[in-house]
């Protein structure tokens, strides 16, 4: 029986187990989005997990969602990520970078720029802009020049990530950020070739993906989706049509993986399994009572090849040792998810060696 402890060939690398660290924003980067030594320590602590996917990282300045988000669009950022990738590799780990363009989930107070999005539709709600909460702004509808510039930024970010030694990139097309905003009817009201039908709403996602695939082998590119996800004021109508089409196109591109963040009310994983021919990464919504049993069941019944864990990886630097020995898990402290410094970041205790 296949177990979460089994290795898996993922493109040019073999990862030692089926556990993936889900991408998690932690807001610990320096000013200007520079990755730092503390981030290096955090990722190195978690390198026994089969594959780390980094926190959402901005491919261009206008796509920075929150203060403290790292970027991959300057030489300093690239050098910082190189130290992190080298650190993770030096202890036997593997690491992909999640490229997260925030689209309308940003603010002039964060970037000094008007947020850009498929359409000038302001999301409901507020975001943290540095000193307090502010309402979202109405974003600028992306012109064809902006569409090209942002696509070029994704390409440049991918080149930088690979040059920095990351093992690959994951395009973030989930959770209400830019690429998801193109897929969803309520954030994309365009009447040109990027809006309306599933083919049109998926067009920009696929254009960005294809541009990235010109500089990265397909085995080093993954993508994340969250069908029916409501986060960041997303409301999808034709989920079946949108994601059936998108997945049929992904099948033609031989990617490293498709990462599905399962959402309440829609079993995105089962939906993807029926349609996707490659490696699937499952995330969330499976309950935590018998984690090992859940992992093994999902993998041995071929529901997914890999399984990503977010909060458990955040709170347990030695997650694999705990899974393997049946030890208790530290609970994640949400009050420090997005704070600064080492507290709630690199100071979660490891198992005591007796
Ligand atoms: C603190 C925190 C930050 C997150 N940031 C991101 C992110 O940057 N990109 C992303 O795709 N998902 C992000 N997520 C969602 C997680 O990747 C994951 O889907 C979610 O935590 C559910 O998995 P879990 O039940 O194993 O925690 C974040 C979640 C948490 C708790």
């Amino acid at each position: 029986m296949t177990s979460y402890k089994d290795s898996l060939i993922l493109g040019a690398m073999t990862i030692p187990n089926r556990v993936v660290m889900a991408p998690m924003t932690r807001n610990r980067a320096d000013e200007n989005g520079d990755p730092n030594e503390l981030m290096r320590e955090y990722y190195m602590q978690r390198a026994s997990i089969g594959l780390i996917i980094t926190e959402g990282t901005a491919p261009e300045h206008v796509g920075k969602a929150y203060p403290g988000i790292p970027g991959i669009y300057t030489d300093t950022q690239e050098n910082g990520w190189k130290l992190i990738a080298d650190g993770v590799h030096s202890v036997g780990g593997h690491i992909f970078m999640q490229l997260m363009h925030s689209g309308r989930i940003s603010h002039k107070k964060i970037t000094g720029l008007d947020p850009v999005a498929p359409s000038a539709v302001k999301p409901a709600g507020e975001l943290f802009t540095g000193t307090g909460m502010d309402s979202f702004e109405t974003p600028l509808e992306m012109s064809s020049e902006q569409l090209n510039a942002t696509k070029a930024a994704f390409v440049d970010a991918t080149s930088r990530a690979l040059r920095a030694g990351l093992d690959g990139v994951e395009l973030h097309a989930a959770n209400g950020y830019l690429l998801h905003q193109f897929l969803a009817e309520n954030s994309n009201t365009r009447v040109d070739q990027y809006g309306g039908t599933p083919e049109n709403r998926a067009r920009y996602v696929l254009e960005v993906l294809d541009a990235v695939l010109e500089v990265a082998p397909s085995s080093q590119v993954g993508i994340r989706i969250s069908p029916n996800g409501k986060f960041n004021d997303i409301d999808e109508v034709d989920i079946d049509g949108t994601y059936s089409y998108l997945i049929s196109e992904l099948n033609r591109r031989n990617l490293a993986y498709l990462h599905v963040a399962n959402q309440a009310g829609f079993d995105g994983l089962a939906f993807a399994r029926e349609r996707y021919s490659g490696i699937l990464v499952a995330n969330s919504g499976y309950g935590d009572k018998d984690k090992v049993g859940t992992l093994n069941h999902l993998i041995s019944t071929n529901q997914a090849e890999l399984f990503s864990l977010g909060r458990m990886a955040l709170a347990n630097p030695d997650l694999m040792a705990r899974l393997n020995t049946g030890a208790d898990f530290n609970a994640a402290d949400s009050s420090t998810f997005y704070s600064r410094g080492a507290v709630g970041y690199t100071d979660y205790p490891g198992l005591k060696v007796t």
Side-chain angles (χ1 to χ4, degrees), residues 210-224:
D210 286 339
V212 160
L213 290 173
E214 283 179 22
V215 297
S218 61
S219 60
Q220 290 179 267
V221 179
I223 187 166
R224 187 173 217 214

Side-chain angles (χ1 to χ4, degrees), residues 22-25 55-56 98 100 172 175 224 283-284 309-311 314 337-338:
M24 280 175 293
T25 293
E55 63 209 276
Q98 187 183 59
M100 171 169 117
H172 193 357
N175 299 354
R224 187 173 217 214
N283 171 256
S284 83
L309 296 171
R311 288 159 296 180
L314 179 158
F337 279 177
Y338 308 112

